Amino acid sequence: MSRFLRSAAAPPPADPTAVRLAQLTARQDQALAYVDRGLAANRGNTAVTDVLLDLRNLLRPPERPAL
């Protein structure tokens, strides 16, 4: 039988927690990219730069302890 005629196995059901974590990670990456663009655009404006640096530090994920 041809391998093209075989039905593909159904993907396993998605874990809702994993899906939510992936969505949050993608949004966090988008937010960090937006902050980085703002930092690049406002290099001379120290007031805006300070706020964006604080925001970037808040958005940075916590460091995991070494095992």
Side-chain angles (χ1 to χ4, degrees):
M1 177 175 226
S2 172
R3 66 181 177 153
F4 297 110
L5 296 178
R6 291 184 205 150
S7 62
D15 179 21
T17 305
V19 171
R20 182 71 177 145
L21 180 61
Q23 290 172 344
L24 290 174
T25 302
R27 288 180 183 169
Q28 183 178 14
D29 291 343
Q30 290 173 346
L32 284 172
Y34 184 78
V35 168
D36 287 339
R37 282 194 307 259
L39 284 170
N42 294 298
R43 289 181 190 241
N45 189 343
T46 56
V48 173
T49 302
D50 288 342
V51 171
L52 290 174
L53 286 173
D54 289 341
L55 182 59
R56 185 173 67 178
N57 288 336
L58 287 172
L59 289 172
R60 185 173 296 146
E63 294 184 20
R64 295 184 182 185
L67 296 176

